[in-house]
Amino acid sequence: MPSNKSVSDAPIVQFTNCRILRSHQLQREDLWVRAGKILNPEKLFFDEKGSADIQLDCKGSIIAPGFIDVQINGGFGVDFSLATDDFKSGIDLVSQKILSHGVTSFCPTLVTSPPSVYHQVLPQISIRDGGAHGAGILGAHLEGPFISKEKKGAHPEHCLRTFEEGAFQDLLATYGSLDCVRIVTLAPEMKRSSEVIRELTKRGICVSLGHSVANLSQAEEAVQHGATFITHLFNAMLPFHHRDPGIVGLLTSDKIPAGRRVFYGMISDGIHTNPAALRIAHRAHPKGLVLVTDAIAGMGLAPGRHTLGQQVVEIDGLNTYIAGTKTLSGSVATMDTCVRHFQEATGCSVETALEAASLHPAQLLGIEHKKGTLNYDSDADFLLLNDSLYVQATYIAGKEVWRQEALGM
């Protein structure tokens, strides 16, 4: 009989006594992992005649795919929109700390900044796998500066830009490089935005609509040119109006190209969106909802003054404002908190809440074949959670990278 080593020298780990989130359902079965991938036990038993080298008792925990945060501006005193000499150590710190919130991959997000900041910061962001060093980096999310002055929110007005002649070249000159860029948020009502959306989409970059006064037909046109995401739905856009629902109307639009799904980010922190609005969005388009934290440097720190790029922000409880105003500026929510609030506010199933932070962002970025699910051969990035959806342990590539203290397995 061939041994387990016939295919790989890596040990086979069997997680037992657990419920696995697979095919939109919690299933009572074991999870098998080898060499950083989810194994198909049938192939292991019948083709390889293999068995587990290590068995781990999960004591009834839920096993869910790792969370993916596609909009996070910083945390723990680190601001991704500040060009500092130790930017790399800052991004390393955030990627390490968010493991305890169940985040296994993320898109570091830069708010509207001067070109000099993009030119300094973007070359220091490299796409990389996660591991014991921290969550994986999927590429940068550039939120602005090509956004609406009327809906700038916490973005500094003096840094906002419009598309001039040669719009795409203008964008390239502003950012310096698109090598590590995964998402760009822009306002689709801007002149020449269609050309930019087409060019970005051609390069595999996700275009998100946000900080905008676009009407519904402008938003639909942007989607027809390739846009697939809405940045923090309801925030920094025209409010829903029954005669012209604006960008919000994309959730039920009949002008979306066949086979295309529009996704939308929601900051489910209990502050940015009233629970009733969260319920409306979820019921209108459940498969498009992507939970994001929109967390700023103050996440994980005591209330007080912190930065968000060029602005000073003040944290008061769970509220974050531009200093001296009542303009909301990002959040201090963690991803696991957003998942729990979303489930509580909408009354949705545990499976739905978990998929909004894992499967949906993976689908948005086109990486659902390897992230965001526990399908066979996908990356073994997963979480152990209790029934109240508190994270007990985080695994990346099948290896434990964080565990709640005093919980031993």
Side-chain angles (χ1 to χ4, degrees):
M1 179 193 288
S3 75
N4 293 342
K5 310 301 174 204
S6 60
V7 171
S8 165
D9 286 336
I12 294 165
V13 184
Q14 177 188 9
F15 293 79
T16 66
N17 188 12
C18 52
R19 287 157 294 152
I20 303 175
L21 176 56
R22 187 177 279 150
S23 304
H24 317 298
Q25 286 181 320
L26 285 177
Q27 307 182 10
R28 202 164 261 295
E29 56 184 82
D30 295 350
L31 185 76
W32 298 74
V33 173
R34 175 174 59 196
K37 300 284 181 190
I38 310 285
L39 269 186
N40 180 342
E42 284 196 6
K43 279 192 177 171
L44 175 68
F45 303 151
F46 298 116
D47 298 355
E48 298 181 40
K49 310 287 191 283
S51 58
D53 297 302
I54 302 162
Q55 281 188 323
L56 294 173
D57 180 355
C58 299
K59 301 190 163 77
S61 296
I62 291 168
I63 296 189
F67 299 149
I68 298 169
D69 193 352
V70 299
Q71 187 174 9
I72 170 172
N73 310 290
F76 317 100
V78 176
D79 182 346
F80 297 147
S81 303
L82 281 187
T84 57
D85 294 337
D86 59 349
F87 182 84
K88 279 191 167 145
S89 59
I91 209 164
D92 288 348
L93 175 75
V94 174
S95 64
Q96 175 69 54
K97 293 268 197 181
I98 57 180
L99 294 174
S100 65
H101 306 145
V103 177
T104 53
S105 309
F106 70 110
C107 294
T109 303
L110 277 71
V111 295
T112 294
S113 304
S116 59
V117 169
Y118 297 115
H119 293 196
Q120 278 176 269
V121 168
L122 289 180
Q124 299 187 70
I125 296 176
S126 46
I127 294 169
R128 68 181 187 207
D129 292 333
H133 57 275
I137 297 174
L138 299 170
H141 178 170
L142 305 182
E143 189 187 358
F146 301 98
I147 57 172
S148 156
K149 197 187 292 186
E150 292 88 340
K151 292 291 176 186
K152 66 183 187 297
H155 292 238
E157 190 170 323
H158 70 279
C159 295
L160 298 183
R161 299 174 73 97
T162 53
F163 293 121
E164 304 307 324
E165 289 292 342
F168 187 69
Q169 290 310 314
D170 193 29
L171 175 138
L172 272 179
T174 302
Y175 294 147
S177 164
L178 292 173
D179 289 351
C180 69
V181 175
R182 203 57 185 264
I183 304 173
V184 171
T185 294
L186 53 78
E189 70 276 13
M190 282 191 170
K191 274 187 189 161
R192 308 183 182 90
S193 65
S194 297
E195 171 198 330
V196 171
I197 293 169
R198 282 196 303 271
E199 287 295 330
L200 287 170
T201 305
K202 229 188 268 178
R203 288 162 172 75
I205 293 169
C206 164
V207 175
S208 189
L209 311 179
H211 288 277
S212 162
V213 292
N215 60 32
L216 179 56
S217 65
Q218 289 168 323
E220 287 170 335
E221 190 186 339
V223 170
Q224 283 149 15
H225 287 298
T228 53
F229 195 38
I230 303 170
T231 295
H232 45 51
L233 187 78
F234 297 125
N235 289 283
M237 59 187 62
L238 289 179
F240 178 89
H241 188 280
H242 57 285
R243 277 194 287 278
D244 190 337
I247 289 177
V248 178
L250 287 175
L251 271 60
T252 56
S253 168
D254 57 0
K255 303 271 192 316
I256 308 298
R260 176 92 54 82
R261 186 186 305 176
V262 173
F263 293 88
Y264 58 97
M266 296 228 67
I267 310 166
S268 168
D269 61 353
I271 289 159
H272 278 78
T273 314
N274 184 285
L278 196 51
R279 288 191 286 274
I280 287 170
H282 176 245
R283 288 172 193 176
H285 184 28
K287 290 194 164 127
L289 195 148
V290 172
L291 292 176
V292 298
T293 60
D294 198 20
I296 62 168
M299 175 179 68
L301 302 181
R305 290 197 159 206
H306 302 281
T307 63
L308 177 60
Q310 311 296 301
Q311 311 268 43
V312 176
V313 298
E314 216 152 357
I315 297 176
D316 176 13
L318 287 176
N319 293 290
T320 62
Y321 302 113
I322 293 180
T325 75
K326 286 295 173 190
T327 300
L328 282 175
S329 53
S331 86
V332 287
T334 60
M335 185 57 94
D336 54 326
T337 308
C338 290
V339 169
R340 289 191 295 271
H341 176 73
F342 170 57
Q343 202 226 344
E344 193 184 327
T346 61
C348 71
S349 66
V350 162
E351 292 94 331
T352 297
L354 293 168
E355 287 186 343
S358 54
L359 175 63
H360 295 176
Q363 290 171 328
L364 164 72
L365 296 176
I367 56 174
E368 69 273 24
H369 58 290
K370 54 181 183 172
K371 305 272 186 203
T373 76
L374 298 178
N375 293 343
Y376 303 140
D377 297 323
S378 60
D379 294 350
D381 297 355
F382 57 88
L383 315 173
L384 267 57
L385 305 108
N386 65 17
D387 286 353
S388 302
L389 301 186
Y390 284 86
V391 180
Q392 298 174 315
T394 303
Y395 285 76
I396 293 182
K399 292 194 165 63
E400 183 181 292
V401 292
W402 180 82
R403 173 167 290 279
Q404 182 69 50
E405 282 171 26
L407 256 179
M409 251 194 171

